[in-house]
Amino acid sequence: MMADEERYVKLAEKIFMGESPVIRQLFAAIAGPEEAEALLAMPATTASLAEGSGRSVEETQSMVDGLYRKGLVFKKETPEGTVYRMCRDIMQFHDATILWPEAPRSYLDLWQRYMEEEWPAFSETVEKMLPRPVTRIVPVSESVDSRQQVLAFEDVRRIVENSEPIAVTNCTCRLIAHKCDRPVEICLQVGKAAAYSVDRGTGRAVDTEEAIALLRKAEEAGLVHVTMNRAGESHFICNCCNDCCMTFPMLIDRKLKMCDPSRFGCVIDEETCTGCGDCLERCFFGALTLDESRGLMTVDAEACMGCGLCQVVCPEGAVSLVEVREQDFIPG
Ligand code: SF4
Ligand code: SF4
Ligand code: SF4
């Protein structure tokens, strides 16, 4: 067996984070020496992991099941049996292990330390490497003008109506940062991602009705819907705040292109707007300004991300979203 420190450096290297001191500490906090050895030997079946380890297949299976519950391994059925592989990158390590049901507070605090000390610089590197952001904002369904064409995968209501199964999980960002009191059990997983989260014990299965009620709860709490930035595909609907979220502060404060806008932009009807100001604090992106002399709200089209949260609170029905980007804006 290799020395402890070396083992955890190798695990960090396996997710391309060998230079990160905090990622090494995170691995040391979640995986014991034998678990770390097994992770380094993956991908593998339980039988091959047991071979020469001094553990029976049953003992090895119990260890691997524990690693699966922790979010460190994923499984795939093959003709040779179930093959286990380690989380492949920092995003899987982050998203899966923060939801480890038995995670001690110290583990979550260590992740928050990573987000504060290392994540901003890492985000800058990732932003330069990726051709397009991996996530995209999806508007509040009712906020889009009814004359606009909305594709099925850019309509949160239709995403959940067309998906089976659906599960709700905790928001990993608010779980570790707890900087605001917005809902935590609010992120929706759909299809395979939902089945995985229920199987692992990190998600709670919900029906379409409850999923839609959760979307409404998110909108009322001022959370922005975010999904995968790929046409025709959605594995999750994140509901993001502007303080705990790993992405929005990078986008808002550092101007990093970490999340694409929706294809829609906000329009305020000058005849109907009374300038009450209710929508102002709903906008995370600084796109709204109250023109006091004219008594109405104005929109900076460049800054608007097309989330539709301002529409949710407008008592006059003065806000609607219209198409401002072509359909091919969403990567295929
Ligand atoms: S990306 Fe948004 S919803 Fe998803 S975990 Fe982070 S804050 Fe929560
Ligand atoms: S103005 Fe702000 S709150 Fe309204 S849709 Fe645009 S980004 Fe969202
Ligand atoms: S909430 Fe509606 S009426 Fe009030 S300022 Fe905003 S757009 Fe105008």
Side-chain angles (χ1 to χ4, degrees):
M1 291 235 285
M2 60 181 88
D4 273 3
E5 177 66 11
E6 192 187 341
R7 202 181 277 131
Y8 295 116
V9 170
K10 288 211 171 303
L11 284 176
E13 283 171 353
K14 221 171 155 172
I15 59 163
F16 317 105
M17 299 298 292
E19 303 301 312
S20 162
V22 182
I23 294 293
R24 271 176 245 162
Q25 287 179 49
L26 280 160
F27 273 116
I30 193 170
E34 288 196 10
E35 291 175 316
E37 293 286 335
L39 289 169
L40 289 172
M42 288 177 188
T45 60
T46 303
S48 64
L49 289 172
E51 241 175 65
S53 70
R55 278 184 315 265
S56 68
V57 172
E58 291 71 28
E59 286 165 337
T60 306
Q61 187 62 58
S62 163
M63 182 178 76
V64 170
D65 289 345
L67 292 171
Y68 174 70
R69 188 161 167 92
K70 286 177 176 178
L72 284 165
V73 305
F74 294 79
K75 48 189 174 183
K76 186 176 180 191
E77 298 308 325
T78 74
E80 289 72 46
T82 309
V83 173
Y84 295 88
R85 67 159 178 87
M86 195 179 115
C87 47
R88 71 172 151 249
D89 54 34
I90 183 171
M91 290 319 302
Q92 279 195 342
F93 182 42
H94 171 277
D95 294 354
T97 69
I98 289 174
L99 293 183
W100 169 25
E102 289 78 33
R105 187 67 239 174
S106 55
Y107 182 72
L108 303 181
D109 289 345
L110 196 50
W111 262 115
Q112 185 55 20
R113 206 181 116 202
Y114 172 80
M115 298 317 292
E116 283 164 16
E117 291 179 7
E118 299 186 27
W119 176 248
F122 184 71
S123 304
E124 284 187 25
T125 311
V126 170
E127 190 231 20
K128 287 191 189 89
M129 277 165 45
L130 292 177
R132 287 287 292 273
V134 291
T135 56
R136 184 185 78 255
I137 287 175
V138 209
V140 173
S141 302
E142 293 79 6
S143 68
V144 183
D145 184 291
S146 57
R147 289 161 295 189
Q148 306 293 308
Q149 194 194 358
V150 184
L151 304 169
F153 54 84
E154 56 184 356
D155 179 333
V156 275
R157 296 289 188 277
R158 273 199 276 167
I159 293 172
V160 299
E161 280 162 7
N162 294 339
S163 300
E164 168 68 25
I166 313 168
V168 58
T169 57
N170 282 333
C171 157
T172 52
C173 300
R174 282 190 288 287
L175 206 56
I176 62 168
H178 46 85
K179 290 182 182 168
C180 67
D181 59 3
R182 293 179 177 106
V184 174
E185 199 205 32
I186 198 83
C187 290
L188 295 179
Q189 313 293 327
V190 297
K192 275 189 198 162
Y196 160 73
S197 69
V198 171
D199 182 57
R200 215 187 113 201
T202 55
R204 180 170 65 79
V206 294
D207 59 17
T208 311
E209 196 184 339
E210 185 173 358
I212 288 176
L214 285 163
L215 291 174
R216 198 66 205 164
K217 182 176 174 182
E219 290 157 6
E220 280 163 6
L223 297 169
V224 174
H225 303 311
V226 171
T227 194
M228 292 166 68
N229 197 12
R230 218 175 308 152
E233 245 187 311
S234 311
H235 291 170
F236 62 84
I237 300 167
C238 264
N239 292 300
C240 303
C241 55
N242 57 342
D243 36 20
C244 308
C245 180
M246 66 195 301
T247 303
F248 282 173
M250 301 297 118
L251 187 142
I252 297 164
D253 303 332
R254 293 175 180 252
K255 310 292 175 216
L256 297 182
K257 289 195 170 62
M258 297 285 285
C259 178
D260 262 343
S262 77
R263 289 197 308 113
F264 302 91
C266 173
V267 174
I268 293 179
D269 179 12
E270 293 190 4
E271 299 299 313
T272 324
C273 174
T274 59
C276 70
D278 287 0
C279 56
L280 195 56
E281 67 178 33
R282 302 284 287 188
C283 186
F284 292 165
F285 309 103
L288 295 174
T289 308
L290 183 60
D291 182 339
E292 288 185 24
S293 62
R294 293 162 71 208
L296 53 87
M297 195 62 71
T298 58
V299 187
D300 174 352
E302 285 295 307
C304 175
M305 297 287 284
C307 70
L309 279 185
C310 48
Q311 181 270 350
V312 176
V313 294
C314 178
E316 309 297 336
V319 180
S320 58
L321 298 193
V322 296
E323 185 175 326
V324 292
R325 296 173 191 90
E326 300 288 337
Q327 291 184 7
D328 63 6
F329 172 73
I330 300 174

